[in-house]
């Protein structure tokens, strides 16, 4: 009697129902799940079909179906009727976009700086590479000193190159790296100072943070470039790029301090009590127990501040510093490459450079979140 209800042979696997698998099911689940979603999907497709073909035709070279002039083309090609982006112009002015007015005979010095930076930061960002402490000392301590003497010169037989001749992507990277590296320890100290029980320390930190957060970065740069020399003794001059670096670093540290403070407040009180129960001093408990957890909690916010700082470096152009955006603007007046698409192509190139760096920082942040499991997904 029981054998009537027991299957004696295995049933061959059957394909999933059409409603639950395949492209039709995916479209129904992700694009047309409700009437409202279906309407939004149709509108989005119409907008994409309207916008993508002309953009593709403008950006892509002729051998890929577009109208752009590829590298190696001539200015006459760029001036032709209906020509797209003039990538030949970008190729011709690439050195100016990267080095600015840096002497061409000394290009090997910025190239060495780029090479050393890549060789040091790559193993620092890869968790599996050993000797992290030595790597960090080389990158955060030795590398800036080497960069200064290589770029500035004036010692070890190197020709002096004043900062007025620096420019392009070189200046953008210098400002962003100095701002990021210097604002991390300063921002952490400000965050700890704001939570201090000493009234004077706490008041000073609060005043500093609120002062810098209350003014826009463009105001800080104007103060550093124009107003600060007026308050200095006559005959005293401070390098313009150095003033911009100090202003950007202090501005960024104030925002970073608030991000770190959010991480400190997110920790339960038990972590502080556990550190005290172990008999650790204040700095040991902060360095070994509290800060690692707090920083882990706010990795997205910290990286977000770094991305914002990298993009804000373009504001230094208003005080006469030739960063990447300013070199692109200056090169657009080159009559040798004058064409209807010259300026647009330059801005497209600058946008792509900024996007590459910002997107790389964003993806690395996601990688670290997943590795440290800081997503706290529910």
């Amino acid at each position: 009697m029981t054998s009537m209800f027991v299957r004696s042979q295995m049933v061959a696997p059957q394909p999933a129902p059409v409603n639950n698998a395949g492209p039709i099911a995916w479209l129904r689940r992700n694009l047309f799940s409700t009437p409202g979603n279906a309407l939004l999907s149709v509108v989005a497709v119409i907008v994409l079909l309207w916008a993508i073909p002309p953009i593709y035709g403008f950006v892509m070279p002729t051998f890929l179906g577009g109208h752009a002039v590829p590298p190696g083309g001539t200015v006459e090609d760029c001036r032709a009727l209906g020509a797209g982006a003039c990538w030949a112009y970008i190729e011709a002015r690439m050195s100016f976009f990267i080095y600015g007015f840096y002497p061409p005979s000394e290009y090997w010095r910025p190239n060495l700086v780029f090479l050393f930076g890549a060789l040091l930061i790559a193993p620092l960002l890869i968790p599996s590479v050993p000797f992290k402490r030595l790597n960090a000392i080389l990158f955060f301590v030795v590398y800036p000193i080497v960069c200064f003497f290589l770029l500035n010169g004036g010692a070890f037989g190197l020709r002096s190159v004043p900062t007025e001749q620096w420019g392009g992507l070189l200046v953008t990277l210098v400002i962003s790296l100095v701002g990021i590296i210097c604002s991390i320890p300063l921002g952490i100290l400000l965050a700890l100072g704001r939570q201090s029980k000493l009234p004077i320390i706490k008041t000073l930190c609060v005043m500093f943070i609120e002062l810098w957060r209350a003014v826009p970065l463009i105001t800080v740069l104007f103060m550093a470039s124009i107003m600060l020399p007026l308050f200095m003794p006559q005959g005293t001059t401070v390098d313009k790029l150095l003033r911009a670096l100090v202003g950007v670093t202090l501005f960024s540290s104030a925002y970073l301090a608030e991000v770190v403070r959010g991480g400190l407040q997110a920790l339960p009180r038990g972590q502080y009590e556990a550190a005290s129960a172990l008999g650790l001093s204040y700095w040991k408990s902060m360095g070994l127990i509290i800060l690692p957890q707090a920083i882990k909690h706010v990795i997205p916010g910290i990286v977000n501040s770094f991305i914002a700082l990298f993009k804000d470096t373009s504001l230094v152009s208003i005080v006469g510093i030739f960063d990447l955006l300013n070199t692109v603007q200056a090169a657009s007046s080159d009559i040798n490459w004058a064409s209807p698409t010259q300026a647009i192509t330059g801005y497209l190139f600058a946008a792509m450079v900024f996007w590459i760096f910002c997107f790389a920082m964003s993806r690395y942040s996601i990688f670290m979140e997943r590795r440290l499991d800081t997503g706290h997904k529910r």
Side-chain angles (χ1 to χ4, degrees):
M1 184 67 181
T2 307
S3 61
M4 297 175 58
F5 302 99
V6 178
R7 190 182 298 278
S8 59
Q9 295 179 346
M10 293 295 294
V11 178
Q14 300 295 319
V18 178
N19 293 336
N20 296 328
I24 297 178
W26 185 90
L27 291 173
R28 182 177 298 171
R29 185 169 56 250
N30 295 282
L31 301 180
F32 304 100
S33 57
T34 64
N37 291 344
L39 178 62
L40 290 176
S41 299
V42 171
V43 172
V45 170
I46 293 174
V47 171
L48 291 176
L49 291 176
W50 171 75
I52 288 181
I55 295 176
Y56 181 87
F58 183 83
V59 172
M60 290 297 168
T62 52
F63 58 85
L64 290 178
H67 309 292
V69 179
T74 63
V75 65
E76 287 76 17
D77 298 333
C78 298
R79 292 170 180 169
L81 185 64
C86 184
W87 299 119
Y89 155 71
I90 299 298
E91 181 193 25
R93 302 307 305 270
M94 183 62 75
S95 298
F96 183 64
F97 293 152
I98 295 178
Y99 308 106
F101 297 101
Y102 211 87
S105 61
E106 307 293 328
Y107 279 174
W108 62 272
R109 288 155 60 175
N111 291 337
L112 277 182
V113 170
F114 293 147
L115 177 63
F116 290 158
L119 292 177
L120 289 176
I121 200 171
L124 192 63
L125 297 179
I126 301 175
S128 58
V129 176
F131 306 110
K132 280 288 185 293
R133 181 172 299 179
L134 176 62
N135 196 169
I137 293 174
L138 289 175
F139 183 75
F140 290 108
V141 179
V142 179
Y143 179 63
I145 299 174
V146 173
C147 289
F148 173 77
F149 284 107
L150 269 176
L151 295 176
N152 193 59
F156 306 109
L158 296 175
R159 171 187 168 186
S160 177
V161 180
T163 56
E164 287 78 7
Q165 296 184 5
W166 301 11
L169 182 61
L170 173 65
V171 164
T172 297
L173 292 179
V174 167
I175 295 175
S176 57
L177 281 179
V178 171
I180 290 172
I181 292 174
C182 295
S183 65
I184 292 176
L186 190 56
I188 291 175
L189 289 177
L190 287 170
L192 294 177
R194 184 158 189 168
Q195 291 195 325
S196 174
K197 296 179 180 177
L198 299 175
I200 296 179
I201 300 296
K202 182 175 182 178
T203 303
L204 291 176
C205 291
V206 170
M207 291 175 60
F208 179 90
I209 293 172
E210 298 302 333
L211 172 66
W212 289 92
R213 292 176 66 205
V215 294
L217 179 58
I218 191 171
T219 305
V220 175
L221 294 174
F222 267 122
M223 285 291 294
S225 177
I226 299 174
M227 299 297 293
L228 184 60
L230 300 179
F231 298 101
M232 300 185 69
Q234 189 173 7
T236 303
T237 58
V238 180
D239 187 83
K240 183 188 293 185
L241 180 60
L242 178 60
R243 281 177 273 161
L245 288 174
V246 173
V248 169
T249 300
L250 296 178
F251 185 84
S252 177
S253 63
Y255 280 88
L256 192 64
E258 288 301 279
V259 175
V260 175
R261 186 171 69 92
L264 292 172
Q265 291 182 341
L267 289 183
R269 188 64 190 170
Q271 297 295 320
Y272 292 88
E273 294 172 351
S276 300
L278 292 174
L280 299 177
S281 64
Y282 173 80
W283 291 109
K284 283 188 176 180
S285 62
M286 285 296 163
L288 299 176
I289 297 178
I290 303 301
L291 277 178
Q293 297 184 72
I295 293 175
K296 189 180 70 172
H297 276 290
V298 293
I299 284 179
I302 292 175
V303 176
N304 190 45
S305 299
F306 292 163
I307 292 175
L309 172 63
F310 184 79
K311 291 189 293 186
D312 286 344
T313 56
S314 59
L315 291 176
V316 299
S317 61
I318 63 172
V319 293
I321 297 177
F322 274 80
D323 70 318
L324 176 62
L325 184 62
N326 207 4
T327 55
V328 169
Q329 290 175 332
S332 62
S333 60
D334 184 2
I335 59 174
N336 295 322
W337 284 93
S339 66
T341 60
Q342 179 188 17
I344 299 175
T345 308
Y347 288 124
L348 276 177
F349 170 74
M352 285 192 297
V353 173
F354 276 101
W355 182 84
I356 289 172
F357 281 96
C358 294
F359 184 71
M361 286 191 281
S362 172
R363 299 309 298 178
Y364 186 75
S365 167
I366 294 174
F367 166 72
M368 289 304 296
E369 287 176 41
R370 290 173 178 170
R371 185 173 184 275
L372 299 175
D373 192 22
T374 59
H376 306 289
K377 295 179 180 178
R378 299 179 185 276

